[in-house]
Each structure stands twice: as structure tokens, then as C-alpha cells.
């Protein structure tokens, strides 16, 4: 059963209690609810893409179901296996609290260093920012409708590059990013230890006055939020000292 007409199908995941720690892989989906049934942990309220995602498939011995008429059917089956369990459902972040390691936010010794790696992400997230070249942006601005620029803020980076923030993104070639709060990650990638996102934020950007741009090699750059201005032909022209006739 693959179709999700109008989002009306409800999905469930059953996992043996001994694999409870593996549910950390889906804890970032805060809308999920968790219930405990003897030796099983049940999770519900998945979206269609989530129940088929790599995060769910990688949970050992997890079994996915869809609901129909208060009965649960294994995915890709039209034969019911059991009724929907009657449980006390709790938000996943309450049912599975995270125990973070003790970290010194001001200094990392040899045994306290936090290794941050980016890995491929199996579910899509909306891109909200872009890095492209000034020449690509300038060519677009020559004929771009003003309404497409109103929600975009921008600033100049080094090496003739510019940073654009806002949706919908402009139809330009460049590197795109999605957001975890003020952390901007390359499209298609996420932190290997994404449950530490808040800790990473506090260490790198405690005042939250910057956008933190992560690169594919797990390095990052900081851009002060106050340096961003609304994109317009005039702001571009003044920043690069282009004569008026060019735009």
C-alpha cells in the first residue's frame, strides 16, 4: 500500500523494546507519538515519506504498518495483522529524552573534543539559502521581476561569491542550504549526530547573531545577520560599483 490520498493514511512503526536507543534516528521528527506495549514500542503519525525513509528502514527489526478501519496492515499488504493498540501516546521527545554528554562550552581538551561530521540525509528539506557567484546574480538581476527579490536578503562573501537567504530561492546555479534554526546545512546532508544540534548552536553561535553555514567538508563559516540587506538592483549596483546602465 503505497498511496497516501490527501494524507489520510496513518502509519505506525513497531520496534522491540531492546532497540529503544535506535529510535534516536527519528527523534528529530517531533510530531511523532510513542506508546509502550509490553515488549514493543509503537510510534505513530509518520508522513508517507518518513515511513519509507532510510532513517526508519535502518532501525533493527522495525515493522511498519498502515491503519485501515482500526486495523493495522503491514506495508505492501492487504491482509490485516492486528488491531491498533490502545495505548497512552506521548510526544517522542518526552518519551525518549536525550542524554547529552557533559561538555565544556568554552574549552575542549583532548578527551572532550566534539567531532562534527556531515552525512547524507534521506528525507528532503526546503532549501532556504544559497551561495552563488556575483556574476550569476548580476546577470539574473538585469531582467528579474522586482517581486522575486522582495523576500531575499543578501551579502557579499569572499572570492566574488554572494550569499542569498529567503524563500522562494532565486532560480540560479549555486550551492543550496536548509536550516536547523540558525545552522545552515548543505542540501542533502545533515549532522551525523543531529541530536546535538542545540549543543553545536550554543558552542558556535551562543548569541544567535550569526548564520552558521556548514560546508560539505564539515567546516563552517559565520555571517552576521546584521550584514544582510534586502536584495535589489540598487543594493547590488552600489555594492559592486556597477554603473547604472549595467542593471
Amino acid at each position: 500500500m503505497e498511496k497516501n490520498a490527501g494524507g489520510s493514511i496513518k502509519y505506525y512503526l513497531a520496534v522491540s523494546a531492546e532497540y529503544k536507543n535506535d529510535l534516536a534516528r527519528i527523534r528529530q521528527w517531533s510530531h511523532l507519538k510513542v506508546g509502550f506495549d509490553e515488549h514493543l514500542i509503537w510510534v505513530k503519525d509518520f508522513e508517507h515519506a518518513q515511513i519509507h525513509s532510510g532513517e526508519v528502514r535502518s532501525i533493527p527489526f522495525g515493522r511498519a504498518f498502515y491503519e485501515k478501519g482500526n486495523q493495522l496492515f503491514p506495508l505492501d499488504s492487504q491482509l490485516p495483522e492486528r488491531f491498533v493498540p490502545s495505548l497512552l501516546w506521548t510526544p517522542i521527545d518526552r518519551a525518549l529524552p536525550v542524554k547529552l554528554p557533559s561538555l565544556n562550552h568554552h574549552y575542549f581538551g583532548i578527551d572532550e573534543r566534539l567531532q562534527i561530521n556531515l552525512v547524507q540525509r534521506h528525507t528532503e528539506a526546503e532549501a532556504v539559502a544559497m551561495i552563488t557567484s556575483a556574476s550569476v546574480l548580476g546577470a539574473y538581476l538585469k531582467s528579474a521581476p522586482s517581486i522575486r527579490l522582495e523576500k531575499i536578503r543578501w551579502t557579499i562573501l569572499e572570492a566574488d561569491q554572494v550569499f542569498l537567504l529567503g524563500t522562494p530561492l532565486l532560480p540560479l546555479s549555486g550551492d543550496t542550504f536548509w536550516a536547523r534554526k540558525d545552522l545552515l546545512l548543505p542540501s542533502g546532508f545533515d549532522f551525523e549526530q543531529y541530536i546535538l544540534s542545540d549543543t553545536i548552536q550554543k558552542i558556535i553561535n551562543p548569541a544567535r547573531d550569526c548564520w552558521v553555514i556548514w560546508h560539505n567538508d564539515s567546516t563552517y563559516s559565520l555571517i552576521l545577520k546584521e550584514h544582510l540587506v534586502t536584495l535589489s538592483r540598487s543594493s547590488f549596483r552600489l555594492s559592486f560599483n556597477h554603473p547604472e546602465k549595467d542593471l
Side-chain angles (χ1 to χ4, degrees):
M1 180 96 179
E2 292 292 335
K3 295 182 179 179
N4 184 14
S8 59
I9 295 176
K10 296 181 179 180
Y11 296 102
Y12 293 74
L13 178 70
V15 178
S16 176
E18 63 184 294
Y19 296 107
K20 176 180 178 181
N21 290 339
D22 290 283
L23 292 176
R25 305 175 193 186
I26 60 174
R27 191 181 180 278
Q28 77 272 22
W29 298 328
S30 58
H31 61 279
L32 298 179
K33 303 291 192 304
V34 173
F36 297 88
D37 179 15
E38 296 183 355
H39 301 297
L40 287 177
I41 301 175
W42 287 88
V43 188
K44 69 173 185 175
D45 293 347
F46 289 93
E47 297 175 1
H48 180 267
Q50 291 172 342
I51 200 67
H52 291 85
S53 68
E55 288 93 333
V56 169
R57 293 180 183 273
S58 67
I59 296 174
F61 304 104
R63 299 197 62 206
F65 300 86
Y66 67 94
E67 179 185 348
K68 183 178 181 182
N70 202 39
Q71 291 183 301
L72 293 182
F73 297 68
L75 291 187
D76 303 318
S77 173
Q78 296 185 16
L79 296 176
E81 183 171 304
R82 58 170 295 161
F83 287 100
V84 174
S86 179
L87 303 172
L88 175 64
W89 298 98
T90 306
I92 191 169
D93 53 356
R94 294 184 184 178
L96 305 172
V98 175
K99 294 181 179 179
L100 296 177
S102 177
L103 297 174
N104 182 336
H105 289 179
H106 302 288
Y107 171 77
F108 291 99
I110 294 176
D111 296 326
E112 299 172 319
R113 189 164 298 157
L114 180 62
Q115 182 66 42
I116 301 174
N117 297 313
L118 297 183
V119 296
Q120 287 191 324
R121 177 183 172 91
H122 297 289
T123 55
E124 294 184 2
E126 181 186 16
V128 299
M130 168 185 287
I131 292 178
T132 188
S133 70
S135 58
V136 167
L137 177 59
Y140 174 77
L141 290 177
K142 291 180 180 180
S143 59
S146 297
I147 193 170
R148 291 289 275 118
L149 312 180
E150 293 175 352
K151 295 183 179 181
I152 304 296
R153 297 176 64 78
W154 80 294
T155 192
I156 300 173
L157 305 178
E158 296 179 356
D160 194 38
Q161 289 186 318
V162 294
F163 172 74
L164 307 174
L165 177 73
T167 57
L169 286 180
L170 302 182
L172 306 176
S173 61
D175 298 324
T176 59
F177 302 82
W178 64 283
R180 276 193 184 279
K181 297 183 179 178
D182 298 334
L183 307 176
L184 299 175
L185 295 105
S187 294
F189 288 84
D190 199 353
F191 294 121
E192 184 176 29
Q193 296 173 306
Y194 50 77
I195 60 174
L196 295 180
S197 296
D198 287 344
T199 299
I200 295 170
Q201 170 90 290
K202 291 176 183 177
I203 295 171
I204 297 175
N205 187 29
R208 300 196 65 178
D209 56 351
C210 294
W211 290 105
V212 185
I213 303 176
W214 288 87
H215 308 288
N216 290 336
D217 61 359
S218 299
T219 61
Y220 66 88
S221 305
L222 297 176
I223 296 180
L224 281 170
K225 293 180 180 180
E226 64 182 25
H227 286 177
L228 298 179
V229 299
T230 300
L231 179 62
S232 64
R233 292 180 179 82
S234 61
S235 66
F236 182 87
R237 184 176 62 248
L238 292 173
S239 297
F240 287 98
N241 295 317
H242 282 287
E244 181 114 11
K245 64 180 181 180
D246 286 347
L247 292 176

